Amino acid sequence: QASWSLRVPLPSSRASALRPMSASTSLPPFAPGPELAALRAQLVELERQLDNAVSREDYVSASRLRSRIEALSPRDPQRRLAELWDSLREAVELEDYRLAARLRDETLRVKRHLPQYQLAGLWRGLYPHHGEETIRIRYAVGNSDMLIATKVTGDEHVPKGEITFRVELLSKPSTSPLCKVVRTLSDGDAVHERDVQRFPGQGRIAEKGFAHPQYVDGEFFLMDVDMFGFLWTPMGSLITFTRVDPREAEMIEEVEAARAAAAACATGDDCPPWDVVCDLDEIIGDMDDDISSEPF
């Protein structure tokens, strides 16, 4: 087994800079979802003011702004995660694997507070030429930084059960994590901008009958924990998804579980020992009727 001893001494100043925060370290709590967007907008504005103060050589104002930024930055888990990534890479380069393991554990703790790692579940969006479809968001087994979206209701191009897009959450975007998206409101000509996080991804396309499926470049736009969009870049098609109501999501999960059990029984795998003969198609049909009758 490889030794974890250092081959190159780590200067004390760099070791201190790389050291992860311990449980006893006093840090302000991370901003919750509803406050996080406002916090990030505030930090962006403070950094703009800091740049202006430095360019004017107003170092008194620059010092005040820098202190304000340093006080607010620890409340953004994304900024803390970026610092941890940089420290982790440097620790690995210096072959300090014990420290790297501690930093890795810290990244896992911080990720739990980030909106992009809180999206598992059912979502609904309007696909061009196909209408409203439901997808399921999950994270890849063994790689929580890979977000995968599969069709729950499919269409003639990409059927149910197939991946519709995937997103690499660990990849840093080619531009700032904060960008402006302009949307036209549906109830008039007014437009407004909102800050979103942007991540690179790949969207699935195929010919009819799921022929010649392939992935194309795309981008994932995270607006908040209840709304995101995915852009199929070559087609310029942006679909916005919203989270399915919890009651309806529970019904859909029951339908999917019943269909999976029926499929397994039809193939002779894990067929339940039914005491009575029942028609699963009829049961599923009743569930579908219940879903469609709900006022969502």
Side-chain angles (χ1 to χ4, degrees):
Q1 185 174 1
S3 172
W4 282 13
S5 61
L6 278 176
R7 296 181 183 176
V8 179
L10 179 63
S12 59
S13 60
R14 296 179 71 188
S16 176
L18 291 176
R19 189 175 299 117
M21 295 293 182
S22 65
S24 61
T25 302
S26 177
L27 278 177
F30 291 131
E35 298 177 14
L36 192 54
L39 172 68
R40 288 171 172 169
Q42 184 180 6
L43 284 166
V44 169
E45 174 60 21
L46 289 171
E47 288 169 341
R48 185 191 66 80
Q49 295 179 19
L50 174 60
D51 290 340
N52 291 338
V54 171
S55 64
R56 298 192 312 267
E57 299 185 2
D58 183 357
Y59 300 118
V60 173
S61 296
S63 177
R64 176 178 55 81
L65 289 164
R66 188 175 292 108
S67 296
R68 182 64 175 153
I69 291 169
E70 290 174 353
L72 291 175
S73 289
R75 299 204 64 209
D76 183 354
Q78 185 67 51
R79 291 183 178 236
R80 175 61 181 152
L81 186 61
E83 295 172 358
L84 288 168
W85 282 337
D86 292 339
S87 298
L88 179 57
R89 281 191 293 268
E90 190 169 353
V92 171
E93 289 174 1
L94 294 167
E95 299 184 26
D96 188 344
Y97 301 120
R98 188 182 301 276
L99 177 57
R102 292 172 58 201
L103 288 164
R104 180 203 59 205
D105 292 342
E106 179 75 1
T107 63
L108 296 176
R109 185 189 71 83
V110 173
K111 281 179 183 178
R112 293 198 295 266
H113 297 272
L114 287 167
Q116 60 264 36
Y117 293 96
Q118 302 172 11
L119 304 177
L122 298 178
W123 297 76
R124 184 165 290 142
L126 190 64
Y127 279 71
H129 311 299
H130 294 300
E132 191 175 77
E133 296 191 30
T134 302
I135 66 171
R136 176 179 284 107
I137 296 292
R138 61 183 176 85
Y139 298 91
V141 177
N143 180 13
S144 62
D145 298 310
M146 175 64 74
L147 180 151
I148 298 175
T150 57
K151 293 277 190 83
V152 174
T153 55
D155 52 61
E156 59 187 350
H157 289 91
V158 179
K160 64 176 294 184
E162 296 293 341
I163 295 175
T164 179
F165 62 82
R166 57 193 183 189
V167 182
E168 180 53 75
L169 299 175
L170 194 59
S171 297
K172 292 185 177 181
S174 57
T175 59
S176 170
L178 292 177
C179 63
K180 296 287 187 180
V181 173
V182 180
R183 292 194 298 130
T184 301
L185 299 181
S186 58
D187 57 353
D189 296 329
V191 297
H192 74 274
E193 296 180 338
R194 66 186 302 170
D195 290 326
V196 301
Q197 281 189 279
R198 189 172 70 178
F199 300 90
Q202 293 179 311
R204 196 82 165 276
I205 61 172
E207 298 177 14
K208 288 184 178 181
F210 198 49
H212 310 295
Q214 60 179 304
Y215 286 100
V216 297
D217 289 339
E219 283 191 291
F220 181 82
F221 297 90
L222 178 57
M223 302 169 190
D224 57 46
V225 293
D226 292 316
M227 180 181 292
F228 65 78
F230 190 85
L231 172 69
W232 279 257
T233 304
M235 284 71 70
S237 178
L238 174 66
I239 299 178
T240 301
F241 295 87
T242 55
R243 197 182 289 273
V244 174
D245 180 271
R247 292 179 301 160
E248 184 181 1
E250 184 178 357
M251 289 185 180
I252 293 173
E253 295 290 4
E254 290 177 359
V255 169
E256 291 301 303
R259 284 175 173 156
C265 189
T267 59
D269 298 329
D270 299 324
C271 188
W274 299 102
D275 294 330
V276 296
V277 178
C278 56
D279 189 341
L280 283 177
D281 287 335
E282 182 178 347
I283 294 173
I284 293 172
D286 291 341
M287 289 182 176
D288 286 336
D289 291 340
D290 289 341
I291 292 174
S292 61
S293 65
E294 289 287 344
F296 296 118

